[in-house]
Amino acid sequence: MPTSHELTFENINPADRDDIIGTFPLSSIDDVNLAVSSAKQAYVTWSKMPAPKRGDILRKAGDIFTRRKDELARIMTREMGKPVFETLGDIQEAIDTAYYAATETRRLFGYTAPSEMENKMNLSFRTPIGVCGIITAWNFPIAVPSWKILPALACGNTVVFKPSEDSPHSAQIFAEILEEAGIPKGVFNVIYGDGLAGSALVEHPDVKLIGFTGSTITGKKIAERCGAMNKRCSLEMGGKNAQIVMADANLDLALDGVLWGAFGTAGQRCTATSRLILQADIYDQFINDLITKATNIKLGNGLNESTQMGPVINTKQLDKIKGYVKIAREEGGICVLGGDEEISGECAKGNFYKPTIFIDVTEDMTIFKEEIFGPVLSVSKATSLEHAIELANNCEYGLSSSIFTGNVDAAFRAIRDIEAGITYINAPTIGAEAHMPFGGIKGTGNGHREGGWTAFEIFTEWKTVYVDYSGSLQRAQIDNY
Ligand code: UN1
């Protein structure tokens, strides 16, 4: 989409700050207005297209994502840093979501129910909402937008998408793919830039819904504005996810679980494991084994095959992590690994932070409570299952959670008692599957779930229809009893 003015921003490779990927327009309010009015105009025909026909286009988008997977994975790695084996997975999630959304267009089921009167039929079905504003983060530049955009389109809505200013290139390719798949002009629009473009989108009266993934601070502001303007709003915000390990667990598995959960994507997932809660009997030994394994994690440019952990997204985020580690030390935290940025070798020009572990972390410490969004793991000790769950729940967020145990009773108690939208048994806190409800409780969300069939709840309204074929005025119970 053309921009009406000259302001731009640079897209910088986080693994090498000298590598400027490109410049992107800082969309102005005029640009946002243009995008919304295109989306509003396109809604008239797109919303009336038979849903399975919309599905054909989404299926084609899935095919093109598949065709461009390798190329796009490398572009995404250069743009946001995570290793190629992770960006390939990111795109796979969009492929799965595209095919799921395509099939769902033949299954946008409504309900029928018997009428309380003779010769009358009661039906209900889903209708689209209108122009949807989608605002997402940079850590899953293709997967997370796909969770929102593809179901929104399947349901007959049109979209204005504002990606993070740290991943505009991936968003541009997302748009290219939808265009090639045959999305009509105006149905999908991208605006680029920071909070200015984002808030213009939220404020626009013709935008009927905001779908947001990002920080809790921004999400709450969006929710307030959407509340005041009576817009639908679905939020996916922060997490402070805990992995519990009981003494009866398969400890090797639990170790692999926490290494992946805490240091995969350099800890930059809303589902990342940032707290490890160990039962006292295994505490010392597990920590020793964890340090040994985490020491060997290979940092570097995600385009290199040997890299296991990439950089963090930008210097601001690097500073934020440094700030949390400083606070942790000031509060008496014991750092047993990392605790510093990595500036040696191929990491010299990037935003690298070493895998970091603090032990004996207590509930009053800041790193126990606040989301860091980096490779920093806090370890705490629990005396029992009940204590472990109490520690896990002592948190303002409620996205993901995990318990490793060999005891079936403990597993079921954890399923019942852990306060989170997602609980894994004998698996890490990361790795949600695209066709299952995704989201959190408490400070993480506002009651909606993306992923699978639940995304279609977000992007539709219900229309209820009564057909009276009695030929006479039949009064319903409200006027008849
Ligand atoms: C996010 O970090 O915003 O479950 C989403 C996972 C990923 C999604 C993370 N599939 O770890």
Side-chain angles (χ1 to χ4, degrees):
M1 198 191 75
T3 177
S4 61
H5 67 94
E6 301 298 311
L7 289 179
T8 57
F9 65 98
E10 283 184 337
N11 186 14
I12 302 168
N13 179 346
D16 176 1
R17 288 183 296 260
D18 291 343
D19 177 26
I20 309 297
I21 296 161
T23 54
F24 284 79
L26 262 178
S27 299
S28 66
I29 291 180
D30 287 346
D31 296 331
V32 176
N33 290 341
L34 187 59
V36 174
S37 88
S38 304
K40 190 180 174 189
Q41 223 177 312
Y43 179 75
V44 178
T45 41
W46 180 250
S47 59
K48 292 195 183 70
M49 182 188 276
K53 292 266 172 277
R54 295 195 295 259
D56 290 344
I57 296 176
L58 296 175
R59 189 173 307 103
K60 200 150 174 230
D63 294 344
I64 303 167
F65 272 117
T66 306
R67 191 190 80 219
R68 295 187 67 178
K69 188 173 174 185
D70 289 329
E71 167 219 349
L72 180 48
R74 299 185 75 77
I75 287 171
M76 210 194 298
T77 293
R78 183 175 170 214
E79 178 167 61
M80 55 68 67
K82 65 187 176 188
V84 171
F85 68 86
E86 288 195 39
T87 48
L88 285 168
D90 196 309
I91 300 158
Q92 187 56 45
E93 200 147 310
I95 294 167
D96 296 336
T97 302
Y99 293 143
Y100 186 99
T103 56
E104 205 65 9
T105 58
R106 290 185 181 270
R107 212 170 31 221
L108 289 170
F109 294 137
Y111 296 96
T112 61
S115 168
E116 62 190 34
M117 279 162 254
E118 285 178 5
N119 297 318
K120 192 177 172 198
M121 191 181 283
N122 296 353
L123 321 161
S124 65
F125 54 92
R126 294 169 186 279
T127 59
I129 292 176
V131 178
C132 299
I134 303 295
I135 303 173
T136 56
W138 45 267
N139 60 338
F140 284 86
I142 296 290
V144 169
S146 81
W147 292 357
K148 302 176 199 291
I149 292 165
L150 303 179
L153 295 174
C155 294
N157 303 285
T158 55
V159 168
V160 178
F161 172 37
K162 203 224 51 92
S164 161
E165 58 270 43
D166 286 304
S167 56
H169 195 188
S170 301
Q172 186 200 319
I173 292 171
F174 200 112
E176 273 174 31
I177 289 175
L178 287 186
E179 193 175 17
E180 188 188 334
I183 288 279
K185 224 170 158 28
V187 169
F188 179 68
N189 309 271
V190 186
I191 52 167
Y192 297 100
D194 50 19
L196 187 87
S199 54
L201 191 59
V202 172
E203 296 293 334
H204 201 298
D206 289 337
V207 174
K208 302 297 178 202
L209 176 154
I210 295 289
F212 171 80
T213 295
S215 75
T216 301
I217 295 177
T218 307
K220 280 184 176 165
K221 281 188 200 150
I222 290 176
E224 278 170 25
R225 287 306 297 148
C226 287
M229 298 178 80
N230 195 25
K231 293 185 186 204
R232 189 179 288 203
C233 164
S234 76
L235 304 171
E236 288 305 333
M237 303 179 285
K240 190 72 191 171
N241 315 292
Q243 174 179 316
I244 296 171
V245 184
M246 302 302 291
D248 56 33
N250 175 339
L251 298 178
D252 290 335
L253 184 66
L255 195 57
D256 286 343
V258 69
L259 284 164
W260 177 227
F263 303 122
T265 326
Q268 303 171 105
R269 293 194 192 199
C270 54
T271 49
T273 309
S274 51
R275 295 181 297 149
L276 175 65
I277 299 170
L278 300 174
Q279 201 177 3
D281 316 12
I282 54 159
Y283 191 77
D284 294 328
Q285 187 56 47
F286 197 92
I287 289 170
N288 283 340
D289 295 345
L290 179 61
I291 296 169
T292 309
K293 284 218 169 177
T295 311
N296 294 326
I297 293 175
K298 166 114 182 47
L299 270 69
N301 189 320
L303 292 172
N304 299 337
E305 243 173 58
S306 60
T307 295
Q308 292 173 308
M309 194 176 106
V312 299
I313 189 66
N314 52 35
T315 49
K316 197 169 150 215
Q317 186 55 28
L318 191 62
D319 289 344
K320 188 175 163 202
I321 297 167
K322 286 188 206 164
Y324 272 115
V325 168
K326 185 164 173 277
I327 294 170
R329 287 197 165 108
E330 283 163 7
E331 291 177 351
I334 305 165
C335 184
V336 292
L337 187 74
D340 207 355
E341 62 189 305
E342 177 63 74
I343 46 168
S344 67
E346 66 174 285
C347 296
K349 290 196 281 181
N351 314 316
F352 290 90
Y353 202 88
K354 293 176 184 161
T356 295
I357 301 172
F358 279 89
I359 59 166
D360 297 352
V361 175
T362 50
E363 290 167 271
D364 53 326
M365 289 172 65
T366 306
I367 53 164
F368 185 90
K369 296 187 260 195
E370 294 185 17
E371 184 179 46
I372 300 172
F373 229 63
V376 180
L377 179 69
S378 303
V379 189
S380 307
K381 192 187 286 183
T383 49
S384 62
L385 175 68
E386 289 68 29
H387 185 211
I389 294 174
E390 195 184 304
L391 287 171
N393 288 347
N394 186 2
C395 169
E396 69 173 273
Y397 299 107
L399 179 55
S400 189
S401 56
S402 134
I403 181 166
F404 284 78
T405 178
N407 180 326
V408 73
D409 296 348
F412 275 91
R413 284 195 185 132
I415 291 170
R416 184 191 61 196
D417 294 339
I418 291 179
E419 296 166 359
I422 305 168
T423 296
Y424 291 90
I425 307 299
N426 295 327
T429 61
I430 66 174
E433 299 180 32
H435 61 292
M436 294 298 286
F438 181 91
I441 61 170
K442 294 158 75 174
T444 296
N446 65 339
H448 296 282
R449 293 290 183 275
E450 301 183 324
W453 63 96
T454 44
F456 295 82
E457 297 291 343
I458 299 175
F459 295 106
T460 49
E461 290 278 11
W462 283 99
K463 163 74 76 86
T464 304
V465 179
Y466 300 102
V467 184
D468 190 322
Y469 50 94
S470 69
S472 55
L473 178 65
Q474 301 198 83
R475 293 186 185 182
Q477 85 281 24
I478 192 161
D479 301 312
N480 207 18
Y481 285 88

